[in-house]
Amino acid sequence: MSLESPESGQETFTHNVEFELNGSPERHCVPTSATVLDLLRNSCGKQGVRASCERSVCGACTVLVDDLPVAACSTFAFDIEGARVETVEGLAAQDGTLSAQQQAFSECGGFQCGFCTSGMLMLTTGLLRQNPQPNREEIRDWISSNTCRCTGYEMILESVERAAELAGAKQQDQASE
Amino acid sequence: MALTRHHPKAVIAAGCSDLVAQFREGLEPEVLISLQRIKELREISNEAGILRIGSLVSHTEGSRSPEILSSVPALAAAWGSIATVRIRYRGTLGGNLLARRYRYEMPVILSALGAQMQFEGGDIAVLPVSSLWDRDSLWDRTLGNVGILTAVTVDTASLLWFGYERSMRPLSTVSLAVRKNTAGLTVSAVCGSEYRQPFVLSHTAEATDIAELDPAFVGEVLAAQLPDEAGDYAGSIDYRRHLVGVLCRRLLAEATGTQRKG
Ligand SMILES: Cc1cc2nc3c(=O)[nH]c(=O)nc-3n(C[C@H](O)[C@H](O)[C@H](O)COP(=O)(O)OP(=O)(O)OC[C@H]3O[C@@H](n4cnc5c(N)ncnc54)[C@H](O)[C@@H]3O)c2cc1C
Ligand code: FES
Ligand code: FES
């Protein structure tokens, strides 16, 4: 269910929202009741932001807003005015090179059907920005806010640990260059 | 604040994590006032034994605040244990209290601490957190305009101990505080659950030191005060009293340094 479409005959109040999406400026006019999920999927074409529970429970719609993980389904679009928003589409480099997180999930089998993966990748990105070397407990705390119904969490936990290793190695390479 | 006087029926928006759910449940406000940009509502201070927490402080900020960690560390720990990472960044103290959902935990945590809510722009200035479920109060939204919750204050000067037990959530949670006063030591416990409002329980003992309290006895006295309506779909009143007794005893054993039994 989307909050965006009013009942027929109802007046819709609209709102202009300007924000940065994966590094590029965006400007959209949306109903005041539109969520970030509505905006990203319907107006910006970012289908990597999944819609499932729409109750901020499952984590499928996780995006980063100013580096923090947010449930796009339960955040009003007007609230991201002036913010920096990141979705899974912004993770890989322009030439298609996978980010450390994507590489790690692929190496460790951190996904099966892939439905939860975009949310898991965004949570991993947010976590590693705050703490480049998280321990198992911290990883579990973050990942537990995203439901996976088919992989089994062990491989996801290993993927996040591997992502931390890969990101650390990448940073060291960059520093020594 | 002028806006709330002008639009007494306006809906106040903080982190909006609960409001989106309220929209899905049929809420259709004509006016929505967002507090997001009012920096003052994010402030936390502790002056002269009064801890003041701005209503827009998020769960993450509250659990990491140096002022709270130094004055009531168990409050920071309790606050950091609720919800999930995403909600903890987004959800605010004010939203958690004023959503007035039985299952939310800050009313349980703060009622035991005797916390007071400070309002502006409405018909009231101060109300105890424990009044959130008073039957005859203004909480019936048709009766009054509460305006904006600006902050919550906690008297830390007379506080001897505080702890929160959520290991049996959603069946029963218990927060418990021990304060010193002229009559002795007052133990305030608040029992929360998924389907019933929080219940405030209290016992005053003629004691001067917390170590003089008998955890088993006080736990039993507190649990016996739970009214029959505290029984719900998840547990009968007998079971809930038993559970609350165990949780109070456990917290008091920690408070008094007694070895935990049973
Ligand atoms: C998946 C999920 C899990 C959760 N788990 C837990 C949990 O384990 N424990 C727990 O305690 N909570 C839990 N929550 C609840 C969460 O903590 C609340 O959603 C949050 O605290 C609400 O805060 P908010 O700032 O988003 O409120 P909003 O949605 O902005 O507001 C909620 C209500 O409060 C009113 N309001 C807000 N601020 C003010 C103010 N300053 N003055 C006047 N009125 C105001 C609004 O008008 C609205 O009616 C969970 C929520 C979700 C979605
Ligand atoms: S769709 Fe947003 S958390 Fe489930
Ligand atoms: S990989 Fe299928 S839901 Fe997680």
Side-chain angles (χ1 to χ4, degrees):
Chain A
M1 185 195 75
S2 161
L3 287 177
E4 201 180 359
S5 334
E7 303 278 311
S8 59
Q10 265 187 347
E11 193 181 352
T12 316
F13 292 96
T14 54
H15 197 87
N16 284 317
V17 197
E18 283 185 57
F19 61 105
E20 188 187 296
L21 179 57
N22 299 328
S24 305
E26 295 274 339
R27 184 169 199 274
H28 295 274
C29 182
V30 292
T32 306
S33 60
T35 62
V36 173
L37 180 71
D38 298 325
L39 174 61
L40 293 177
R41 283 185 68 91
N42 304 344
S43 308
C44 306
K46 299 300 179 205
Q47 307 287 315
V49 187
R50 309 280 188 215
S52 184
C53 71
E54 299 193 48
R55 290 269 182 291
S56 56
V57 175
C58 75
C61 66
T62 304
V63 296
L64 296 183
V65 175
D66 291 334
D67 294 321
L68 300 180
V70 156
C73 68
S74 301
T75 306
F76 286 117
F78 66 72
D79 250 350
I80 57 163
E81 174 69 37
R84 211 161 24 84
V85 179
E86 292 167 83
T87 68
V88 73
E89 286 87 349
L91 288 186
Q94 296 262 309
D95 65 0
T97 309
L98 296 183
S99 69
Q101 305 84 292
Q102 289 168 310
Q103 177 67 31
F105 271 72
S106 155
E107 272 181 28
C108 303
F111 61 92
Q112 210 174 104
C113 76
F115 189 80
C116 69
T117 312
S118 44
M120 291 293 183
L121 287 168
M122 298 321 289
L123 277 171
T124 307
T125 307
L127 169 60
L128 296 185
R129 270 188 203 157
Q130 280 194 24
N131 182 356
Q133 288 175 311
N135 60 33
R136 272 251 154 158
E137 204 187 322
E138 287 157 333
I139 299 174
R140 206 181 290 276
D141 185 35
W142 278 62
I143 295 307
S144 65
S145 70
N146 193 353
T147 310
C148 173
R149 66 180 173 84
C150 53
T151 303
Y153 291 93
E154 195 57 31
M155 287 190 285
I156 294 174
L157 289 166
E158 283 167 10
S159 301
V160 182
E161 284 170 339
R162 177 69 181 141
E165 267 176 31
L166 288 173
K170 207 170 169 181
Q171 265 191 342
Q172 271 188 347
D173 282 355
Q174 280 166 352
S176 60
E177 267 170 21
Chain B
M1 307 306 161
L3 271 176
T4 56
R5 292 230 180 265
H6 205 82
H7 302 283
K9 292 245 185 279
V11 167
I12 311 296
C16 296
S17 57
D18 193 274
L19 266 183
V20 174
Q22 291 184 34
F23 271 47
R24 293 187 200 287
E25 288 160 11
L27 178 74
E28 287 179 11
E30 274 182 23
V31 181
L32 194 72
I33 299 176
S34 173
L35 305 179
Q36 277 301 335
R37 286 166 203 239
I38 309 180
K39 282 205 200 83
E40 293 77 8
L41 298 181
R42 295 188 189 278
E43 287 168 4
I44 305 176
S45 63
N46 194 348
E47 279 161 31
I50 301 291
L51 177 64
R52 190 174 200 283
I53 310 168
S55 64
L56 211 54
V57 170
S58 71
H59 302 328
T60 301
E61 288 162 346
S63 63
R64 293 179 184 170
S65 148
E67 287 83 3
I68 302 179
L69 280 163
S70 63
S71 52
V72 196
L75 168 59
W79 202 344
S81 69
I82 72 171
T84 58
V85 164
R86 275 191 314 267
I87 304 295
R88 287 200 291 268
Y89 279 116
R90 188 107 204 124
T92 66
L93 172 59
N96 192 283
L97 294 175
L98 293 194
R100 297 183 67 237
R101 301 218 192 234
Y102 292 164
R103 63 180 184 275
Y104 289 0
E105 292 163 271
M106 293 312 283
V108 177
I109 292 169
L110 289 167
S111 293
L113 282 166
Q116 304 281 326
M117 295 180 287
Q118 316 286 329
F119 292 90
E120 275 184 43
D123 303 335
I124 35 170
V126 185
L127 273 180
V129 171
S130 58
S131 73
L132 276 169
W133 283 275
D134 279 357
R135 297 221 169 110
D136 54 353
S137 78
L138 332 111
W139 294 112
D140 182 345
R141 278 160 203 260
T142 54
L143 291 185
N145 165 27
V146 294
I148 290 173
L149 172 69
T150 53
V152 165
T153 54
V154 178
D155 168 11
T156 56
S158 61
L159 184 68
L160 295 182
W161 194 85
F162 171 74
Y164 182 53
E165 252 294 349
R166 75 193 294 271
S167 58
M168 292 306 287
R169 190 172 183 266
L171 282 180
S172 273
T173 54
V174 171
S175 67
L176 187 144
V178 185
R179 280 185 191 276
K180 202 178 188 123
N181 51 40
T182 46
L185 298 184
T186 297
V187 183
S188 308
V190 179
C191 163
S193 78
E194 180 86 4
Y195 307 109
R196 293 287 184 268
Q197 66 174 80
F199 292 98
V200 181
L201 319 165
S202 173
H203 173 69
T204 298
E206 279 182 27
T208 49
D209 192 298
I210 208 164
E212 292 169 40
L213 296 174
D214 175 349
F217 172 74
V218 179
E220 215 167 289
V221 170
L222 291 168
Q225 293 170 19
L226 262 187
D228 286 353
E229 72 241 46
D232 65 26
Y233 317 104
S236 68
I237 184 59
D238 289 342
Y239 177 62
R240 174 133 299 135
R241 284 193 188 118
H242 170 71
L243 194 53
V244 169
V246 171
L247 295 176
C248 286
R249 193 174 69 205
R250 194 180 284 176
L251 285 164
L252 283 160
E254 213 180 299
T256 57
T258 322
Q259 199 64 41
R260 192 178 283 183
K261 289 192 200 120

